[in-house]
Amino acid sequence: GTYSFLNVQPAARVAAMGGTFISIKDNDLNLALQNPALLNPSMSKFIAFSGVSLFDGIKFGDVAFAKEFGKLGMFDVYMHYGNYGTFKETDVTGEILGNFKAADYAFGFGWSKQLNRYFSTGANLKGIYSDYYIESSVGLAADIGLAFHDSVRFWTASIVAKNAGRQIKPYTEGLYEPLPAEVQAGVSKGFAHMPFRLHVNFRHCEKWNITYVDSADDANVDLVTGETTFKKIGFFKKLTRHMVLGTEFSITKHFLISASYNLQRRGELVVDSRKGVIGLSFGFGVKVNKFIISYGRSTYHLAGASNSFSVAVNLGQLITKKTVREAAD
């Protein structure tokens, strides 16, 4: 599908939890961009910034703000972007004519409502603009989510249908491409007297077999006949390709450590001769004064890892503190 930048998550905590994280409901505004049903009053007046730098100057980022409006529910606005850097423009002979840039943007508007003590629902509406110099595209997408949260027994579960929509203006006239729509689900369990929580998140619940077999893999080629034979894909492999396992440790009230294992990433990107830590991610979050600063590191391949950073602050608390200080002066 097109608009694959929608699946790149620059938020540090989400990156540390394997790139799919919809199994917790707290005051982290970045989670509402994963599942709008997680948007809740504890996020009101928060503003959050996130960014990640990938290879060769490719950058992704988010900025989001949330506000509660009484009985109407919670609302947020955000922008998600992917900047692919500067390219040289040449003619057919290779002569440099100048430079150009390429980027993708999604401008979102979200809403959520608490249905009862345990359940909440929400939706995101995203306008998409993709600019690849000569070619450009405009699209519209939506997320719809449902979340269950039991603060007494420390259970959280949610499901979300993401990126359902279509291109309004395709890159090539008359050639409409599908969006990267998928269904995700997640569940987590905390414990009353232990400072950690266990998470299991599932991707692509709408499709059972998402395994990828590399036909160029030497292990699948008969060295005598040269014919390609595919290994049998068993039930367990098909199941685990959907899974992202994670845990979070609350060292103190203001310090959180996260770690995860993305089984699909591990299964598809690992190199047999040197497996390393492909698929593993980790990170931490710390509250300094009124600011929450987070870092996440994800290992995709032996070529390197990505580093994500996020900063969030409650503007209501920040402005109130500043106003009180000025009044005292």
Side-chain angles (χ1 to χ4, degrees):
T2 190
Y3 305 146
S4 59
F5 80 103
L6 295 172
N7 289 327
V8 180
Q9 304 299 332
R13 188 180 178 194
V14 177
M17 292 300 291
T20 301
F21 190 35
I22 61 171
S23 53
I24 188 68
K25 190 174 184 179
D26 56 21
N27 67 343
D28 189 346
L29 179 54
N30 290 305
L31 300 181
L33 277 60
Q34 288 270 293
N35 181 0
L38 300 177
L39 186 63
N40 65 83
S42 69
M43 302 175 184
S44 186
K45 298 182 181 179
F46 263 93
I47 186 169
F49 302 89
S50 300
V52 57
S53 181
L54 302 178
F55 300 100
D56 203 24
I58 298 174
K59 296 179 176 64
F60 289 84
D62 286 334
V63 57
F65 176 74
K67 181 77 166 60
E68 183 180 18
F69 289 90
K71 294 183 179 180
L72 294 177
M74 283 290 302
F75 293 84
D76 69 353
V77 292
Y78 62 90
M79 181 184 74
H80 174 66
Y81 72 89
N83 188 324
Y84 308 109
T86 302
F87 300 82
K88 291 181 180 180
E89 180 185 8
T90 67
D91 61 18
V92 293
T93 66
E95 181 179 353
I96 297 176
L97 303 178
N99 298 319
F100 67 93
K101 295 184 177 181
D104 289 314
Y105 304 91
F107 303 90
F109 169 82
W111 163 86
S112 77
K113 181 76 173 179
Q114 192 71 33
L115 301 177
N116 53 38
R117 177 182 174 184
Y118 297 109
F119 289 93
S120 60
T121 187
N124 284 333
L125 183 64
K126 295 175 277 191
I128 303 165
Y129 175 64
S130 181
D131 181 13
Y132 295 161
Y133 186 39
I134 297 175
E135 305 294 343
S136 64
S137 176
V138 177
L140 192 65
D143 307 332
I144 300 176
L146 179 69
F148 167 85
H149 179 63
D150 185 344
S151 58
V152 176
R153 297 175 178 83
F154 307 100
W155 280 100
T156 301
S158 62
I159 185 170
V160 56
K162 303 183 67 174
N163 302 324
R166 63 165 294 163
Q167 285 183 301
I168 298 173
K169 175 187 176 298
Y171 297 102
T172 303
E173 186 176 354
L175 182 60
Y176 290 87
E177 301 173 84
L179 272 64
E182 67 171 295
V183 177
Q184 297 179 356
V187 61
S188 70
K189 179 68 172 74
F191 305 91
H193 305 292
M194 291 183 284
F196 68 90
R197 176 179 285 269
L198 302 177
H199 302 266
V200 182
N201 290 275
F202 297 86
R203 294 199 61 198
H204 290 290
C205 299
E206 80 287 352
K207 184 178 180 181
W208 169 239
N209 186 9
I210 61 171
T211 55
Y212 170 74
V213 177
D214 186 0
S215 60
D217 189 342
D218 291 339
N220 295 324
V221 177
D222 189 310
L223 298 179
V224 178
T225 65
E227 295 181 356
T228 301
T229 57
F230 296 97
K231 298 177 181 177
K232 183 178 179 180
I233 301 172
F235 173 86
F236 183 74
K237 180 177 286 189
K238 291 179 181 179
L239 174 64
T240 56
R241 282 293 195 273
H242 294 269
M243 299 171 64
V244 181
L245 309 177
T247 184
E248 291 189 304
F249 294 85
S250 300
I251 304 302
T252 69
K253 184 179 179 181
H254 301 301
F255 189 72
L256 179 73
I257 293 179
S258 307
S260 67
Y261 184 43
N262 187 316
L263 282 85
Q264 182 185 26
R265 194 178 294 171
R266 175 75 176 185
E268 295 184 355
L269 299 179
V270 71
V271 177
D272 290 334
S273 60
R274 186 183 169 193
K275 295 186 176 182
V277 294
I278 309 304
L280 292 175
S281 302
F282 67 90
F284 64 85
V286 59
K287 185 174 182 180
V288 181
N289 198 1
K290 300 295 181 180
F291 294 85
I292 301 174
I293 303 171
S294 303
Y295 166 78
R297 183 177 176 86
S298 302
T299 307
Y300 290 87
H301 195 267
L302 292 175
S306 64
N307 299 288
S308 303
F309 297 90
S310 297
V311 178
V313 62
N314 188 317
L315 293 182
Q317 295 179 359
L318 192 66
I319 294 173
T320 300
K321 183 178 180 180
K322 182 179 179 181
T323 303
V324 171
R325 185 181 300 162
E326 290 177 349
D329 294 339

